[in-house]
């Protein structure tokens, strides 16, 4: 190490120790910011490094993020200083400098810094920190063996694509001269060239210029034959230790070279290279900073994969293309070309295009205006007529119409609504809709208004409106809701219809139904009374006559002589006919009104009817009657019995059942009769069929007593009829 180097390190160490450490603790305690250390392999002022730093700052110093992040920069300067003693002193300096600091993440740029941090990772300021790298040449996954808190962006220079485009643009080239130094980057780039050389075997010759002082290099470049292509990697240091910035070394080589120069990095562009598939230092830094930001936000570094593909682009310098007679059309379609000639057209291209387009458009406008002028009056007249028709339809529509805004204020209404309310339109618009509602409707409106924006359409809302004279009228409203892009209410469009006449008709219809139901109940009651009267008349009067007739026939038969056999036979036939007639009278009397219903009550009548049903049809009938069931009053008993009879009749006609289960019981305050068969099952459409007068009669009987009849069937599983009637029934008129 030279005296200059030693002096530099000592001065740097003393300055850092004396100037920073006294304030370190106070600063750390004064700010809660996240700390990011950026360790650069090279020095500030080197375009590659400066562009990486610019990319990092684009992300980490952006508005919002930058307020919570503090960046620390270190430059290893390995283009100038690179021996092991220097690296050791540099580590000791950083360790002392950041003895009391704790970073949240470390960003390392290029291979020297990457190797430096890996070597000292388990000690000093780098201990166990998340590390994000970028600009790494010749990356292999094995480099991170044992380092599970490392991730980053690989500097993936596309050497093969650059050579291929150079050979395409210079088909007569005989050799590619690879120019590079012995720095870490230079050696890495040579290795990348060596890896792709087999792809070009037999097509081109490769020559390497690498161990040189600058004067020797320039002489060799100056003497290159015309069929050569220079492939410039990096020239930052020559054999004698002289340092050159990227731009400086390129400028020297460009002045000496008479052949095209190609490279892999965008910082060479605009300095003399023709172009190539170029790697961007700015994008490298930007991508690495993005990963660091994810870590600062709490993401685990081990879950962030290494980016192994750089966002490289074909980029070319127009001046160099022209110098070597290369047409831009020969370049890949996605290529970027800089320094295009500043012709009058290119300089004023936008103005020329805009002016031409403007002239063309104005010409068209003039033509269109000339045509439209003749049509405008006709359109205006038609529009005026249309507006008048719309306003006439709007204001004189049979229904009321209004709009309210998000505050419930009326912003528009038609003349129909104004007349219905007894106001002028000017007296309505601008007032809250609640001013025109009854107290009850106002409460409903205030409760539901906040939920209007959750609906697009609401139909059939009912409100009670108050006229100016204090009278009220009901209205049915259909509301259409208009929302903005954020889902907030802009206004409603409401159509309302006066429901006064409809309510009157509904009330009249309800009264009519009640009257019909009362009439039906009266008819049923009168019918039952008449049937009972007829049954008693038949049983008492006709039964007595038949009984007397039978006695007379028996008396007559006893007085016949033994030789009057023909008369004896006739009297026997007459007696049998009388017996048959008596049975018929008893059957008719029972069908009209079973005496058991009147004298023994509903349970006995149900049992008797079930027995008759079984004897007539052969269908099994199981009866279950609650023994604690009190005998209901006559109205309930008759209604339930008649429903039971109608149900059994339907079973005979339609069910094809082999068994019927009947249950009569008390369920809470209700008398319940359930008849279940195992037949075909009644279809749902027949249950709701208004032409099923038997079912309608059953339901009306129960409804008149405040009860209900439900019929449920399933195909192949039978039908169940359930009757429920309150034991303390009140006639439901």
């Amino acid at each position: 190490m030279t005296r200059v180097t030693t002096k530099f390190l000592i001065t740097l160490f003393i300055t850092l120790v004396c100037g920073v450490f006294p304030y370190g603790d106070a600063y750390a305690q004064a700010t809660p910011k996240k700390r990011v250390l950026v360790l650069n392999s090279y020095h500030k002022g080197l375009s590659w490094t400066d562009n990486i730093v610019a990319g990092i700052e684009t992300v980490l110093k952006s508005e919002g993020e930058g307020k919570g992040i503090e960046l620390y920069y270190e430059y290893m300067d390995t283009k100038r200083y690179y021996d092991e003693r220097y690296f050791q002193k540099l580590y000791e300096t950083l360790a002392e400098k950041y003895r009391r600091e704790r970073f949240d993440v470390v960003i390392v740029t290029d291979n020297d810094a990457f190797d430096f941090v890996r070597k000292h990772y388990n000690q000093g300021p780098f201990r166990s920190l998340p590390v994000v790298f970028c600009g790494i040449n010749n990356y292999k996954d094995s480099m991170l063996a044992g380092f599970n808190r490392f991730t980053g962006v690989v500097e993936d220079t596309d050497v093969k694509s650059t050579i291929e485009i150079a050979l395409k643009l210079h088909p007569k080239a005989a050799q590619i001269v690879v120019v590079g130094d012995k720095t870490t980057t230079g050696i890495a780039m040579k290795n990348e060239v060596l890896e792709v050389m087999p792809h070009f075997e037999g097509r081109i010759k490769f020559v390497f210029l690498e161990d040189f002082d600058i004067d020797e290099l320039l002489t060799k470049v100056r003497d290159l034959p015309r069929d050569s292509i220079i492939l410039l990697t990096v020239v930052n240091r020559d054999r004698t230790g002289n340092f050159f910035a990227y731009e400086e070394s390129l400028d020297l080589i460009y002045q000496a070279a008479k052949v095209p120069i190609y490279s892999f990095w965008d910082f060479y562009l605009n300095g003399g290279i023709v172009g190539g598939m170029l790697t961007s230092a700015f994008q490298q830094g930007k991508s690495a900073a993005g990963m660091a930001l994810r870590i600062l936000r709490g993401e685990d570094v081990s879950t962030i994969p290494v980016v192994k593909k750089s966002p490289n682009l074909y980029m070319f310098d127009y001046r160099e293309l022209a110098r070597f007679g290369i047409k831009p059309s020969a370049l890949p379609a996605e290529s970027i070309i800089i320094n295009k000639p500043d012709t009058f057209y290119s300089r004023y291209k936008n103005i020329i295009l805009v002016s031409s387009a403007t002239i063309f458009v104005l010409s068209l406008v003039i033509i269109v205006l000339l045509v439209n002028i003749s049509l405008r009056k006709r359109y205006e007249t038609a529009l005026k007529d249309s507006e008048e028709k719309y306003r006439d339809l709007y204001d004189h529509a049979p229904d009321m119409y209004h709009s309210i805004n998000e505050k419930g204020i009326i912003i528009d209404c038609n003349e129909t609504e104004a007349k219905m309310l007894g106001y002028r339109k000017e007296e309505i618009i601008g007032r809250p809709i609640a001013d025109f509602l009854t107290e009850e409707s106002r409460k409903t409106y205030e409760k539901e208004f906040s939920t209007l924006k959750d609906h697009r359409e609401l139909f059939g809302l009912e409100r009670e409106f108050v006229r100016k004279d204090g009278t009220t009228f009901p209205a049915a409203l259909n509301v259409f809701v208009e929302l903005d892009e954020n889902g907030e209410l802009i206004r409603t469009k409401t159509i309302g219809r006066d429901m006064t006449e409809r309510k009157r008709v509904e009330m009249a219809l309800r009264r009519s139904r009640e009257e019909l139901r009362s009439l039906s109940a009266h008819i049923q009651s009168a019918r039952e009374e008449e049937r009972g009267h007829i049954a008693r008349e038949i049983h008492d009067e006709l039964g007595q006559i038949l009984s007397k007739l039978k006695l007379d026939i028996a008396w007559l038969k006893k007085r016949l002589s033994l030789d009057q056999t023909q008369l004896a036979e006739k009297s026997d036939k007459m007696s049998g006919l009388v017996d048959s007639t008596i049975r018929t009278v008893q059957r008719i009397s029972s069908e009209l009104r079973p005496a058991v219903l009147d004298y023994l009550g509903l349970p006995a009548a149900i049992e008797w009817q079930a027995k008759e049903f079984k004897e007539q049809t052969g269908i099994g009938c199981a009866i279950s009657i609650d023994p604690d069931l009190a005998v209901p009053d006559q109205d309930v008993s008759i209604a339930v019995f008649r429903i039971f009879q109608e149900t059994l009749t339907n079973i005979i006609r339609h069910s094809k059942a082999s068994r019927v289960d009947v249950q009569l019981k008390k369920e809470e305050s209700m008398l319940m009769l359930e008849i279940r068969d195992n037949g075909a099952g009644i279809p749902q459409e027949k249950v709701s069929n208004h032409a099923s007068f038997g079912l309608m009669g059953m339901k009306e009987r129960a409804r008149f007593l405040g009860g209900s009849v439900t019929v449920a069937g399933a195909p192949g599983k039978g039908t169940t009829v359930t009757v429920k009637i309150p034991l303390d029934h009140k006639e439901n008129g």
Side-chain angles (χ1 to χ4, degrees), residues 550-619:
K550 184 175 181 180
L551 290 173
D552 289 343
I553 291 171
W555 179 86
L556 181 62
K557 182 180 179 181
K558 288 180 179 180
R559 283 161 177 76
L560 293 176
S561 60
L562 295 175
D563 58 344
Q564 294 177 307
T565 56
Q566 189 174 5
L567 290 175
E569 291 176 358
K570 193 67 174 177
S571 65
D572 289 339
K573 290 181 179 179
M574 290 175 63
S575 178
L577 184 60
V578 170
D579 288 339
S580 177
T581 304
I582 291 173
R583 288 194 297 272
T584 300
V585 168
Q586 290 174 342
R587 179 179 60 79
I588 293 172
S589 176
S590 296
E591 288 178 354
L592 287 172
R593 180 68 166 266
V596 67
L597 179 64
D598 291 329
Y599 297 111
L600 299 180
L602 179 62
I606 294 292
E607 289 182 340
W608 171 81
Q609 185 64 62
K611 180 180 178 182
E612 290 288 312
F613 169 78
K614 183 176 181 181
E615 290 177 353
Q616 291 175 10
T617 64
I619 299 174

Side-chain angles (χ1 to χ4, degrees), residues 460-502:
L461 299 180
E462 290 195 10
R463 298 285 186 268
E464 192 85 11
F465 283 83
V466 181
R467 298 187 182 93
K468 189 174 184 178
D469 60 8
T471 60
T472 64
F473 67 94
L477 307 181
N478 294 332
V479 182
F480 303 88
V481 181
E482 184 177 343
L483 306 176
D484 62 18
E485 63 275 8
N486 298 318
E488 297 298 326
L489 178 68
I490 298 176
R491 63 175 178 171
T492 67
K493 300 174 183 178
T494 304
I495 300 172
R497 175 163 294 182
D498 187 348
M499 298 291 289
T500 303
E501 181 62 19
R502 179 176 171 181

Side-chain angles (χ1 to χ4, degrees), residues 179-335:
V179 178
D181 60 18
K182 286 291 188 176
T183 62
T184 302
T185 304
I187 294 171
M189 291 311 305
K190 177 183 177 181
N191 291 335
E192 291 194 27
V193 175
L194 291 173
E195 286 182 8
V196 303
M197 280 175 56
H199 294 282
F200 303 97
E201 187 174 357
R203 292 174 56 189
I204 195 75
K205 175 185 176 183
F206 285 86
V207 176
F208 289 89
L209 299 180
E210 53 185 334
D211 190 13
F212 50 75
D213 64 37
I214 193 64
D215 293 330
E216 291 174 353
L217 174 63
L218 296 179
T219 299
K220 291 180 180 180
V221 168
R222 195 176 292 113
D223 295 337
L224 288 175
R226 292 287 184 175
D227 59 358
S228 302
I229 297 174
I230 295 177
L231 187 62
L232 178 61
T233 60
V234 290
V235 177
N236 291 131
R237 192 171 60 240
D238 67 3
R239 187 172 57 213
T240 62
N242 292 321
F243 172 78
F244 306 93
Y246 293 116
E247 295 84 353
E248 183 181 1
S249 60
L250 174 59
D251 185 56
L252 293 172
I253 294 171
Y254 179 76
Q255 292 180 33
K258 301 181 182 65
V259 297
I261 306 172
Y262 286 80
S263 190
F264 321 111
W265 290 287
D266 63 348
F267 54 74
Y268 280 140
L269 196 64
N270 200 33
I273 68 168
V274 177
M277 179 63 83
L278 305 186
T279 301
S280 171
F282 181 85
Q283 291 297 331
Q284 288 276 319
K286 188 175 180 180
S287 298
M291 292 179 171
L293 188 58
R294 291 166 62 183
I295 295 169
L296 294 176
R297 289 173 175 170
E299 194 168 342
D300 191 345
V301 63
S302 63
T303 65
I304 304 176
V306 174
V307 177
K308 299 180 180 179
K309 183 67 177 177
S310 296
N312 302 338
L313 296 171
Y314 280 113
M315 302 179 71
F316 299 91
D317 189 332
Y318 184 89
R319 295 174 304 187
E320 297 304 311
L321 294 173
R323 177 186 175 194
F324 293 101
I326 302 171
K327 296 181 179 180
S329 59
L331 303 177
E334 69 275 15
S335 300

Side-chain angles (χ1 to χ4, degrees), residues 394 402-406 408-413 428-431 490-492:
Y394 174 77
H402 67 253
S403 291
I404 63 175
N405 62 17
E406 75 283 0
I409 303 299
I410 299 174
I411 57 177
D412 191 18
C413 75
I428 296 175
I429 295 174
R431 292 178 61 182
I490 298 176
R491 63 175 178 171
T492 67

